[in-house]
Amino acid sequence: MPLKRPAPEPTQGGSQSESSSSFLHPSKHFKADIEKTLPNIKVYIVQAKLDVPTIAELFGLAERHAGGVCKDASEADVILTAISMRRRFERHVPWDIAKTKAVVTPQWLRDSVNNGSALPCDHYIAIEDLHETTVKHCPECNCKPCGCSEGSSIATPASPSLGTRAHLASPPTSPGASTSGVHHGDKTQERDKAAAQVSIPANLLPPDPPIPTNLQNLDYMSRYACQRASPLVCPNQDLVRELDIIRQSRALEGEERSALSYQRALSIIKAYPERIRSLKQVAKLPYIGTKISGLVEEFLDSGKIAEAQTIKASERFQALSLFSSIYGIGPNTARRLYNLGLRTLDDLEVYYGVEHEEVDVPPGDSEIIEIECKHQHGKPLARESREHEEGLSDSWIRIALGLREDFTKKIPRDEVEEMGRVVTKELNELEPGCVSTIVGGHRRGKPESNDVDIVFTHSDPDKVKGLCKRFVRRLHERGMVTHVMHLSGFHGHNPLRTTHWDSLEKALTVFILPPSSPFYQGTRRRLDLIFAPPEVYWTAVIGWSGSIMFQRDLRQWAKDKLGMKFDSSGITRRYDSKEIHPKTEKEVFDLFGLEWVDPTWRNADL
């Protein structure tokens, strides 16, 4: 059975609030139906014999200009297919249903959109056996007298009328952010020359110039963060911080459902395009219920939320936050330690028996220290809970406590990019032709990072396998990696996997810049190295770029709207586990029928 996809959810109604402020952001409410040229025509797409770019193109045209894409062929007005043989076509659509529809080639949709109205179907017949029924059920014939049966010629379609929407650039929204760091960790002339020498495929390099985000096509009222523009710093940042204190408290106490509710609420507020001055402005926003409306009203009256201030001042919250700031201690462990009477980091050092000489290993002078993760109930760590890792061994926690002074120091953007440059240079000496992208908060425009994540690939898939372990060994020999918390090989993509910890090769390490670097201070940093086969490179880049809420809703969108499973290790259709490999980052958005969102607009969390 072909992919089934429901029509998009109707845009939520509601009156428009005051005119937009000078803040560069989406329009108040985008009305997609205004420019639809085929608003009453629903299509069903038979994906057989269509490549990924074509599928993405057709989904996009149907969503933007027609009545949407149906999950079931019986609900459609038009069936699009590249199949020309009846026997093969019947594998995807029952013949009795096909005889009640217009079955045409994909070109019919393209030309109809360009024409501004439905064209006669006679020249777009896909299955000759269905010629008569296709002409009979042609949408153009249902709107006006049709010349299909007379074989009348078709006028040359007019140029598409797409309006005059501005494609606004997506600038970094924080001090120190630069385009060189936003789109591709390090785009220096050295890297460009190296790429040219090894003939790296163009699709593995970032677009130049960067693709702008059409902010007017994003809707701040959408229930999905992947359809909203979320800046690094929003007009309601103080309100978001207050709500986030309550969210953190719920998460630390193990109240996951409540924490997610607050996360969704602050995410929708993060995308609100102007300063909230009255409760009326947020009354119709998704995820803002009675409880959170009351908190918003309290903030508008006093500039604070009493519950958040009480939580922030409590000994328990302070201790749990302190414990969970140690890389390797999650909420469950933090609560257990608190219940044992521990309150300070000194208490933790005594409890875990930290010996500082245990972590002060001279780089390159000994065997690499590898502390493997332990799994809870057989499940590996989840990528989206990285701030509060759970399930790491006591050995790693001892190391993290010993290195806490280094780990608590933020990493400036310039140093992040220097780490990327040094690591990439070392990798290309080991395996020429690799490409990389610095991901995480750095890619979203943050001026400082807690750790550094870099995704690598090579145009030759065979050269990627096993490269992670070889590379970590090389960095250790060069004195740059002292500890490895997790080191995994590549596993085949599993569409039935229920956790978010992907199947890519990766190493979570402790890294130190070489003394020859101008940024060298002897500070140990957390560095995650992720290696992806070339066919899933851009899904890995998207998955590891974040933010958490953006990724969560992107997965949910793929499931709800397309019946697909998305994560950083690939895209699969759920009904037959077929893998789909977009060639570029934007092609992922096109495939999902989503407007392109630049990483600097994906900050759906605080």
Side-chain angles (χ1 to χ4, degrees):
M1 176 183 306
L3 171 65
K4 297 180 178 181
R5 178 183 177 193
E9 293 180 357
T11 307
Q12 297 188 28
S15 60
Q16 301 292 328
S17 52
E18 299 92 348
S19 60
S20 301
S21 66
S22 59
F23 178 67
L24 183 62
H25 219 286
S27 62
K28 286 302 198 109
H29 194 131
F30 174 60
K31 298 287 187 181
D33 288 340
I34 290 178
E35 296 188 357
K36 287 190 175 182
T37 54
L38 311 170
N40 300 318
I41 300 175
K42 296 181 180 180
V43 303
Y44 179 83
I45 301 172
V46 178
Q47 298 186 33
K49 296 189 70 175
L50 298 176
D51 57 21
V52 172
T54 302
I55 294 172
E57 175 204 8
L58 295 177
F59 270 117
L61 289 173
E63 290 290 355
R64 291 191 294 270
H65 301 287
V69 180
C70 296
K71 295 177 63 176
D72 196 306
S74 63
E75 301 171 355
D77 302 299
V78 174
I79 297 176
L80 304 180
T81 180
I83 300 172
S84 59
M85 296 178 61
R86 169 176 174 173
R87 182 176 299 177
R88 184 169 182 181
F89 180 77
E90 285 184 288
R91 299 175 189 172
H92 305 276
V93 179
W95 195 248
D96 58 340
I97 292 177
K99 290 191 295 185
T100 65
K101 310 292 179 184
V103 182
V104 295
T105 63
Q107 193 61 38
W108 176 87
L109 179 60
R110 300 186 186 103
D111 290 350
S112 293
V113 169
N114 288 342
N115 186 57
S117 61
L119 288 168
C121 299
D122 192 50
H123 289 256
Y124 301 91
I125 301 297
I127 311 291
E128 191 58 37
D129 289 351
L130 293 172
H131 190 291
E132 184 177 342
T133 54
T134 293
V135 169
K136 178 180 177 182
H137 296 97
C138 178
E140 193 267 354
C141 298
N142 296 330
C143 302
K144 59 184 179 181
C146 178
C148 294
S149 57
E150 286 95 26
S152 59
S153 60
I154 300 175
T156 304
S159 299
S161 177
L162 299 179
T164 57
R165 286 186 226 124
H167 286 265
L168 304 177
S170 302
T173 53
S174 62
S178 65
T179 54
S180 63
V182 169
H183 289 279
H184 194 252
D186 185 6
K187 285 177 62 180
T188 61
Q189 292 182 354
E190 251 179 51
R191 292 275 307 278
D192 290 340
K193 289 178 181 178
Q197 290 173 359
V198 295
S199 300
I200 295 173
N203 68 290
L204 293 181
L205 297 174
D208 189 15
I211 302 169
T213 298
N214 192 339
L215 295 174
Q216 293 185 353
N217 280 2
L218 298 175
D219 180 8
Y220 70 84
M221 292 189 68
S222 172
R223 298 183 66 86
Y224 297 89
C226 55
Q227 287 192 307
R228 304 192 294 260
S230 304
L232 186 62
V233 178
C234 71
N236 300 288
Q237 197 76 359
D238 292 342
L239 171 58
V240 170
R241 287 194 188 99
E242 289 288 291
L243 292 174
D244 194 60
I245 293 172
I246 303 176
R247 179 203 64 79
Q248 290 179 57
S249 175
R250 300 293 192 269
L252 290 170
E253 297 295 350
E255 301 173 16
E256 296 180 2
R257 291 178 64 88
S258 178
L260 180 58
S261 296
Y262 280 94
Q263 181 68 71
R264 291 196 181 283
L266 67 87
S267 177
I268 199 78
I269 292 173
K270 192 83 186 295
Y272 197 78
E274 61 184 39
R275 189 168 183 81
I276 296 171
R277 303 183 186 279
S278 71
L279 194 58
K280 182 179 179 181
Q281 289 175 269
V282 299
K284 294 185 179 181
L285 292 178
Y287 308 118
I288 306 295
T290 303
K291 166 70 174 176
I292 294 177
S293 291
L295 297 177
V296 172
E297 186 174 26
E298 181 182 351
F299 179 84
L300 294 176
D301 291 340
S302 65
K304 298 288 182 182
I305 297 176
E307 182 180 356
Q309 295 303 307
T310 301
I311 289 171
K312 188 177 180 180
S314 70
E315 179 189 57
R316 181 177 175 87
F317 178 76
Q318 292 175 5
L320 293 180
S321 299
L322 180 65
F323 294 167
S324 63
S325 70
I326 301 301
Y327 195 54
I329 296 180
N332 292 338
T333 303
R335 292 196 301 274
R336 178 175 61 82
L337 295 171
Y338 184 87
N339 292 337
L340 290 174
L342 281 61
R343 295 294 184 269
T344 68
L345 293 180
D346 289 339
D347 293 343
L348 290 186
E349 285 197 356
V350 172
Y351 177 81
Y352 282 104
V354 174
E355 300 290 343
H356 285 275
E357 60 270 16
E358 184 179 346
V359 298
D360 291 330
V361 180
D365 287 357
S366 65
E367 284 298 311
I368 190 169
I369 300 175
E370 184 174 339
I371 306 100
E372 189 61 64
C373 300
K374 68 180 181 181
H375 296 168
Q376 293 286 333
H377 309 297
K379 295 181 180 180
L381 299 177
R383 175 66 179 93
E384 66 176 29
S385 61
R386 287 282 308 285
E387 290 183 0
H388 305 292
E389 293 283 12
E390 200 73 72
L392 303 187
S393 67
D394 287 355
S395 298
W396 172 254
I397 294 176
R398 282 198 296 274
I399 298 294
L401 279 168
L403 296 173
R404 72 176 189 273
E405 290 187 8
D406 283 0
F407 284 178
T408 54
K409 295 177 183 176
K410 297 285 189 178
I411 313 173
R413 288 189 68 85
D414 289 347
E415 185 178 343
V416 171
E417 292 176 9
E418 171 70 359
M419 290 171 64
R421 186 192 67 78
V422 169
V423 167
T424 301
K425 179 176 179 294
E426 290 291 333
L427 179 59
N428 276 307
E429 289 180 5
L430 177 66
E431 189 62 73
C434 290
V435 294
S436 65
T437 300
I438 300 177
V439 288
H442 178 85
R443 190 166 189 251
R444 300 198 310 275
K446 287 192 174 182
E448 297 179 319
S449 302
N450 294 314
D451 62 357
V452 178
D453 303 325
I454 309 178
V455 178
F456 303 90
T457 194
H458 193 286
S459 57
D460 185 346
D462 293 334
K463 292 184 178 180
V464 177
K465 292 183 179 179
L467 184 55
C468 182
K469 292 184 179 181
R470 290 168 51 209
F471 185 45
V472 170
R473 176 63 59 183
R474 177 186 176 90
L475 291 177
H476 173 66
E477 292 170 352
R478 297 291 192 275
M480 300 181 202
V481 164
T482 58
H483 304 75
V484 178
M485 185 272 286
H486 175 83
L487 184 62
S488 67
F490 175 75
H491 303 286
H493 180 62
N494 179 10
L496 302 179
R497 181 173 55 80
T498 56
T499 64
H500 300 313
W501 190 245
D502 60 46
S503 57
L504 304 175
E505 288 190 5
K506 65 184 68 66
L508 314 185
T509 74
V510 177
F511 177 86
I512 185 169
L513 281 168
S516 60
S517 169
F519 292 87
Y520 175 78
Q521 296 178 340
T523 306
R524 272 80 52 105
R525 303 296 197 182
R526 285 188 286 133
L527 171 66
D528 297 349
L529 309 171
I530 304 99
F531 287 78
E535 65 270 17
V536 298
Y537 177 60
W538 289 113
T539 59
V541 168
I542 291 174
W544 281 79
S545 291
S547 61
I548 292 172
M549 204 66 225
F550 189 92
Q551 295 307 308
R552 182 191 290 273
D553 281 0
L554 191 60
R555 291 194 298 269
Q556 196 65 44
W557 173 275
K559 178 182 177 181
D560 294 347
K561 303 298 184 181
L562 294 98
M564 291 183 178
K565 181 178 178 61
F566 167 83
D567 60 36
S568 53
S569 51
I571 299 173
T572 53
R573 291 195 308 219
R574 288 178 176 270
Y575 78 89
D576 63 356
S577 298
K578 176 181 174 58
E579 295 185 24
I580 300 173
H581 299 141
K583 291 183 172 60
T584 65
E585 184 176 20
K586 186 176 185 300
E587 199 170 287
V588 176
F589 285 77
D590 292 341
L591 173 66
F592 289 165
L594 292 169
E595 190 72 23
W596 163 251
V597 181
D598 182 272
T600 55
W601 294 109
R602 300 179 199 171
N603 291 285
D605 305 321
L606 180 62

